[in-house]
């Protein structure tokens, strides 16, 4: 079923009786050519591009719960291409271009909104760092505008420009940055992959990986064994557990990241804004809720919920920056499991096991990467060669020293 | 989250700095092979369940602690001074 404005109007006028489930709910076959473990954003986009770009449709996605109930449906939806370092720069640039055509591509409204992202700076040193980053973005072919204090005031008049502890010096504006509807991205890729013949198998937890003579042969699941020639591990926060089934020890530590949403308000925050002197960033959802977050709780965790000190810090930082939100009531807070890598950058690579691939280490920035990650992993799996924009996301880069440490904080998992 | 410092008693999580898994206690010899340094700095068991990790009581006695914790429930079973912990090198 194709979606269109006409279709929505027609269904609206005729009682909405014509909508049907948009993907099948198949039982697993005994064997596939290719398996993708994990039905989050990255697993679903990988399956879609395996079919779409490489003509492979004997593919199944194995998801232990329901599609899109992991971090892909828990994030704060920021989509941007404002990276500094070679490796990240070309990858996220590619991803943003895919985002810009995604709705047409998937025939699904993912509510991609390029409302502009503003990273505020509060000192001369920070201004220099952001100017450098902006130059890197422009050199990559993306967009960046360095705003001075008055430039920021024009766009964000409601910030507290009077406070002197962390004065606002300006901001780096990334006009093509913005947000998207997280669930819709999972649903859109799921629907499009299903339409190309991919089996999306839910409530199917992978419990073992079968390896013979150094080659992957299939997996064990809670719905029985499934044979396959190629298997990809795309399970984000659970990467260490699933990789351990193949005897691999990963450079990953899982951490909790929290987020918050207020009651729905009239439109008041038009951009995505990040504070440069505390852990706080914010945007307003199309429903009106102020969606905001901060940094990790900083200790390893699989609890998918956080603790109060980070809640307090985020609220304090928000109030420092924009006291106008102080009367908004907080509706919910939640947490997600982040697969933190030692340099803050991801891994899209083969593993030492023939036919077994790995896509992980998304830290807290993997939502914006969903299109390009699937694109590049599918390329690697189908052709055996890394995609040029993901060629630096190697599993062995920590051993060889070719790290991509965007924040320059060293090899400590929770500092990225 | 209260962390039971062996010297100070139960103290608020805010007083502590978190480094990472107790693997950091097993520092390779200076002339160890690069693979040993890779394992020490980067590779982690990353258990979903019981773990032992390093916390620094920065705003207290400034001792390094090995805390036994559950990463799924956040329950804390105990803490020992890093110098006396069983996995200290
Ligand atoms: C609070 C928060 C805010 C964030 N904000 C942003 C943001 O603003 N911008 C941004 O770019 N990124 C953001 N992120 C990060 C982003 O959400 C993640 O990096 C990304 O979603 C991870 O990839 P995924 O979608 O594939 O993961 P998931 O959706 O977690 O998918 C992994 C799937 O694997 C499944 N799985 C695990 N183990 C098994 C098994 N054994 N067998 C079968 N299936 C298994 C899980 O059930 C899960 O569905 C945020 C994350 C959080 C939590
Ligand atoms: Zn103490």
């Amino acid at each position: 079923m194709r979606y269109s404005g006409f279709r929505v109007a027609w269904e609206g006028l005729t009682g909405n009786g014509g909508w049907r489930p948009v993907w099948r709910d198949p039982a697993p076959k005994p064997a596939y050519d290719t398996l993708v473990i994990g039905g989050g954003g990255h697993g679903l986009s990988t399956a879609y591009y395996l079919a779409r770009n490489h003509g492979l449709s004997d593919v199944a996605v194995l998801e232990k719960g329901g599609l899109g109930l992991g971090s892909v449906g828990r994030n704060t939806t920021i989509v941007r291409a404002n990276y500094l370092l070679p490796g990240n720069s070309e990858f996220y640039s590619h991803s943003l271009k895919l985002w810009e055509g995604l709705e047409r591509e998937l025939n699904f409204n993912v509510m991609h909104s390029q409302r502009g992202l503003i990273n505020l700076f509060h000192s001369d040193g920070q201004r220099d760092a952001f100017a450098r980053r902006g130059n890197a973005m422009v050199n990559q072919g993306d967009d960046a505008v360095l705003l001075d204090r008055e430039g920021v005031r024009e766009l964000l008049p409601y910030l507290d420009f009077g406070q002197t502890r962390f004065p606002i010096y300006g901001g780096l504006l990334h006009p093509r940055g913005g947000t998207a509807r997280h669930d819709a991205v999972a649903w859109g890729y799921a629907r499009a992959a299903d339409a190309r013949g991919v089996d999306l198998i839910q409530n199917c937890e992978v419990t073992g990986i079968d390896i013979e003579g150094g080659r992957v042969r299939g997996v064990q699941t809670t719905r029985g064994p499934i044979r396959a020639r190629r298997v990809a591990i795309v399970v984000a926060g659970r990467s260490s557990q699933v990789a351990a089934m193949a005897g691999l020890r990963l450079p990953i530590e899982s951490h909790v990241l929290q987020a918050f949403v207020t009651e729905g308000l009239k439109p008041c925050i038009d951009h995505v804004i990040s504070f440069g002197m505390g852990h706080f960033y914010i945007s307003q959802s199309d429903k009106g809720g102020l969606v905001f977050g901060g940094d990790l709780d900083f200790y390893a965790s699989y609890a998918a919920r956080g603790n109060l000190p980070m809640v307090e810090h985020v609220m304090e930082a928000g109030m420092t920056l924009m006291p106008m939100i102080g009367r908004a009531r907080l509706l919910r807070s939640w947490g997600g499991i982040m697969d933190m890598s030692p340099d803050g950058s991801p891994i899209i690579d083969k593993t030492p096991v023939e036919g077994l691939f790995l896509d992980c280490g998304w830290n807290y920035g993997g939502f914006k990467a969903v299109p390009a990650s699937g694109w590049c992993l599918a390329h690697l799996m189908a052709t055996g060669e890394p995609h040029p924009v993901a060629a630096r996301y190697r599993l062995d880069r920590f051993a060889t020293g070719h790290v991509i440490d965007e924040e320059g904080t060293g090899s400590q998992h929770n500092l990225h | 989250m209260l962390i039971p410092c062996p010297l100070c008693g139960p103290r608020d999580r805010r007083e502590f700095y978190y480094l990472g898994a107790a693997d950091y206690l097993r520092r390779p010899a200076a002339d160890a092979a690069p693979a040993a340094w890779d394992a020490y700095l980067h590779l982690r068991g990353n258990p979903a369940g019981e773990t032992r990790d390093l916390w620094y009581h920065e705003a207290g006695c400034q001792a390094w602690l090995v805390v036994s914790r559950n990463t799924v429930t956040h329950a804390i079973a105990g803490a020992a001074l890093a110098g006396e912990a069983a996995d200290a090198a």
Side-chain angles (χ1 to χ4, degrees), chain A residues 316-332:
Chain A
E316 281 175 356
M319 286 301 290
T320 303
L321 186 63
M322 43 176 82
M324 75 163 182
I325 67 174
R327 302 297 287 269
R329 273 167 300 196
L330 205 61
L331 282 191
R332 284 181 289 123

Side-chain angles (χ1 to χ4, degrees), chain A residues 4 6 207 231 233 283 313:
Chain A
S4 64
F6 172 75
T207 54
V231 176
I233 301 173
S283 67
H313 173 91

